[in-house]
Amino acid sequence: MSSQFNRRDFLKQTGAIGAGVTLAELGHSAAALAQESEATTSEPDRKPLKIGFVGVGARGSCLLKILMELPGVEVRALCDIREDRVERAHRWVVEKSRPEPAGYSRGDTDFQRMCQTEDLDLVLTATPWRWHVPVCVAAMKAGKHAATEVPAALTLDQCWQLVETSEKQQRHCTILENYCYFRKAMTVLNMVRQGVFGELLHCEGRTQENWVAENWHFFDSDGTIGWVAEHLAQYNGNPYPTHGFGPMAIWANINRGDRLQTLVSMSSKSRSLANFARESFGAEHPLAQRGYAQGDANVSLIRSASGVTFTLYFGGQSPQPWSPEHKVQGTLGTCIGEMFDYRAGDDGWLQAKVFNQKEFGRWRNYWDYLEQYDHPLWKALGQTANRYRAWDWSGAYDYLMLGQLVRALQDGRKPPLDVYDAATWSAISELAERSVAGGTSAVDFPDFTNGKWKDNAPTDLSDV
Ligand SMILES: NC(=O)c1ccc[n+]([C@@H]2O[C@H](COP(=O)([O-])OP(=O)(O)OC[C@H]3O[C@@H](n4cnc5c(N)ncnc54)[C@H](O)[C@@H]3O)[C@@H](O)[C@H]2O)c1
């Protein structure tokens, strides 16, 4: 067993898999978090919301546990191709003194039987990428709302399937992009809305992960390939665009007054997956001998109809720290830095910094602006949300994101992130592949909203 597999086990134990960070790295101690949780507020009883959950692996388990913390949520059905995972999740639900959920584990498409049989309001999927659209479409066709992990879809055709099914069935389909709920990303959103940066000109976003250190569904110890590496072996573009793009899309009102128009993309050579296979299994192993299409780095340039430009970086498989850096630039000022809100070491890249032309001078620390511009959602629910950092690195953001989704459906309102967000942000994957394959040719974005982007009102993600 290689050191990589040991590291993966360690990350599994700390619950940090899929993110590349541990609680210690975040600068939070469990004791401090427990103390924080004592000061939380209680929420009123809410209307029941019946949920079916598909894919209770690493990520699904986190989401499921947080869902069960939300008032009114009833997890009525669980589906996973692995029966042991359905049983484990079933135990969690029952341990919370909730009614026993039905279990579905008869193979790859058993979610269809779940959608057709169960009385559910919402079906949520945290399966591998290629199942997101089949699950959402099955749910909506059976009259349920759908919510999907990221990316929502892998191809343009799949993006259209989501949009067309949602419109035809009049069901919501939301993307569970928790990076939009990072406190810094939301403070910046508030600053954008209050005009601190003036008119927006340019944004930069990144999906920088350390999937190789985590061995995030790359290679199993028996020498078989995992579902993430299998995808990276076949496609070369940006397979994971929404963490980087989601926050920028909200800042820049994409599909709500502006729309994405053109993309060009370029990939570096591909090295790290083959290197990792060679280190893990030896140079003669088939996984070391086969080709991997995805370049270690991919950069896309995107331009909107109103003339805002975006750069979007993907770097998933070469060794580098997880680091969600963003930039926003306007006619009056700019902010750059990590959007993740830990304070461990207030210097260097860990810090977001702000420049405001009215104040003149040089960079100022992001934290100087927090009190004035903290986002209303964080002001209202941040203390409660922070209790869930002890459960998982993203617990606080998942709590805010899922809470907003659940409350919207309970109240009969449209969820803040809609099917057009899901389709537009996810479309970057195939558009980047096309551009890379065409020698960095320019490709056009489809208008999934069919012109509605001109009149759609901006979202501030502030519903409490
Ligand atoms: N938002 C985030 O920060 C974040 C972090 C990690 C993962 N994710 C996303 O969550 C999703 C799952 O990732 P993961 O790391 O938990 O993967 P995983 O492989 O650990 O979990 C996927 C689960 O789905 C099950 N499954 C596979 N095919 C299925 C099918 N046809 N029907 C029902 N169940 C099926 C698997 O048995 C497994 O239990 C991915 O889309 C990933 O991109 C998001």
Side-chain angles (χ1 to χ4, degrees):
M1 192 179 268
S2 73
S3 59
Q4 285 87 350
F5 291 115
N6 291 332
R7 162 120 173 112
R8 175 177 166 74
D9 289 339
F10 167 72
L11 285 162
K12 260 186 185 165
Q13 282 159 20
T14 60
I17 202 141
V21 284
T22 64
L23 280 175
E25 283 165 343
L26 304 184
H28 293 291
S29 77
L33 291 161
Q35 224 172 19
E36 239 174 36
S37 77
E38 284 169 18
T40 56
T41 52
S42 63
E43 289 189 53
D45 284 348
R46 312 260 330 177
K47 203 175 138 194
L49 190 80
K50 294 166 283 187
I51 297 184
F53 204 107
V54 187
V56 268
R59 177 72 180 141
S61 300
C62 303
L63 291 173
L64 175 68
K65 287 178 180 174
I66 288 188
L67 267 178
M68 288 192 298
E69 294 291 296
L70 297 167
V73 163
E74 295 177 4
V75 178
R76 291 281 184 93
L78 296 162
C79 172
D80 197 295
I81 48 171
R82 284 183 50 176
E83 202 175 350
D84 60 317
R85 292 198 168 164
V86 171
E87 282 166 6
R88 184 180 62 173
H90 181 275
R91 206 168 52 244
W92 291 331
V93 176
V94 173
E95 277 167 8
K96 293 286 284 183
S97 309
R98 304 297 171 88
E100 289 200 34
Y104 292 82
S105 52
R106 288 191 208 154
D108 275 351
T109 53
D110 209 24
F111 57 81
Q112 289 174 346
R113 194 168 60 93
M114 183 191 89
C115 293
Q116 284 154 12
T117 313
E118 299 293 329
D119 173 21
L120 303 169
D121 300 306
L122 170 69
V123 172
L124 199 147
T125 177
T127 48
W129 302 333
R130 73 193 176 98
W131 291 108
H132 293 174
V133 170
V135 173
C136 291
V137 167
M140 289 189 281
K141 282 189 172 167
K144 284 88 173 148
H145 300 299
T148 174
E149 254 306 335
V150 302
L154 296 170
T155 65
L156 292 175
D157 183 57
Q158 283 195 332
C159 292
W160 280 115
Q161 280 184 53
L162 291 181
V163 169
E164 286 165 1
T165 312
S166 169
E167 288 178 346
K168 187 166 175 211
Q169 302 296 328
Q170 291 291 292
R171 297 289 90 186
H172 300 299
C173 178
T174 196
I175 181 164
L176 298 170
E177 185 40 86
N178 50 350
Y179 282 42
C180 294
Y181 290 82
F182 285 1
R183 191 176 195 171
K184 278 185 195 155
M186 297 195 93
T187 310
V188 169
L189 171 61
N190 205 12
M191 292 169 88
V192 169
R193 294 293 187 261
Q194 295 197 40
V196 174
F197 306 115
E199 186 181 356
L200 284 206
L201 302 167
H202 176 72
C203 299
E204 296 176 12
R206 301 163 73 79
T207 301
Q208 177 172 310
E209 306 266 351
N210 200 341
W211 292 344
V212 71
E214 299 169 22
N215 188 15
W216 190 52
H217 311 296
F218 274 10
F219 305 130
D220 292 327
S221 47
D222 64 0
T224 51
I225 192 163
W227 61 263
V228 171
E230 186 59 63
H231 185 93
L232 301 179
Q234 291 180 46
Y235 302 95
N236 183 14
N238 184 337
Y240 217 53
T242 69
H243 284 347
F245 201 76
M248 303 196 285
I250 302 297
W251 297 338
N253 291 328
I254 298 305
N255 292 336
R256 299 173 176 87
D258 200 359
R259 84 172 192 89
L260 300 183
Q261 222 164 27
T262 311
L263 172 149
V264 293
S265 190
M266 192 180 276
S267 284
S268 76
K269 58 188 157 190
S270 175
R271 285 289 180 272
S272 295
L273 267 163
N275 288 347
F276 184 43
R278 205 165 35 248
E279 284 162 20
S280 303
F281 306 113
E284 303 310 315
H285 192 277
L287 289 176
Q289 297 274 325
R290 73 175 286 180
Y292 295 92
Q294 179 63 49
D296 282 35
N298 171 269
V299 182
S300 299
L301 302 178
I302 300 172
R303 195 172 192 278
S304 77
S306 83
V308 178
T309 50
F310 303 83
T311 63
L312 184 64
Y313 167 85
F314 166 79
Q317 68 263 42
S318 44
Q320 47 185 342
W322 176 75
S323 187
E325 287 141 17
H326 280 77
K327 176 175 182 172
V328 59
Q329 178 188 341
T331 51
L332 287 178
T334 186
C335 171
I336 189 166
E338 281 219 11
M339 288 296 120
F340 192 56
D341 51 296
Y342 51 169
R343 286 201 78 142
D346 261 358
D347 55 8
W349 278 112
L350 301 184
Q351 178 170 295
K353 49 193 183 175
V354 176
F355 173 78
N356 184 334
Q357 181 76 353
K358 286 184 191 152
E359 295 168 354
F360 197 64
R362 289 178 54 78
W363 294 109
R364 273 182 61 191
N365 193 321
Y366 153 88
W367 298 101
D368 294 348
Y369 292 83
L370 179 62
E371 195 178 332
Q372 190 178 353
Y373 294 105
D374 198 11
H375 190 277
L377 187 67
W378 272 93
K379 276 188 186 157
L381 297 177
Q383 205 176 25
T384 310
N386 275 333
R387 136 177 31 161
Y388 299 103
R389 286 182 193 280
W391 292 21
D392 187 68
W393 74 271
S394 66
Y397 320 114
D398 298 337
Y399 176 81
L400 295 175
M401 171 184 72
L402 292 171
Q404 237 175 26
L405 168 66
V406 164
R407 287 190 296 277
L409 295 180
Q410 284 168 328
D411 298 348
R413 286 180 285 114
K414 187 173 167 256
L417 302 180
D418 63 20
V419 72
Y420 306 105
D421 298 316
T424 307
W425 307 353
S426 304
I428 293 168
S429 285
E430 185 178 332
L431 293 173
E433 285 160 24
R434 286 189 188 195
S435 177
V436 169
T440 313
S441 53
V443 288
D444 290 337
F445 273 84
D447 176 11
F448 294 106
T449 74
N450 194 20
K452 291 194 284 287
W453 63 272
K454 290 178 190 153
D455 303 314
N456 286 340
T459 180
D460 295 335
L461 299 180
S462 52
D463 298 335
V464 174

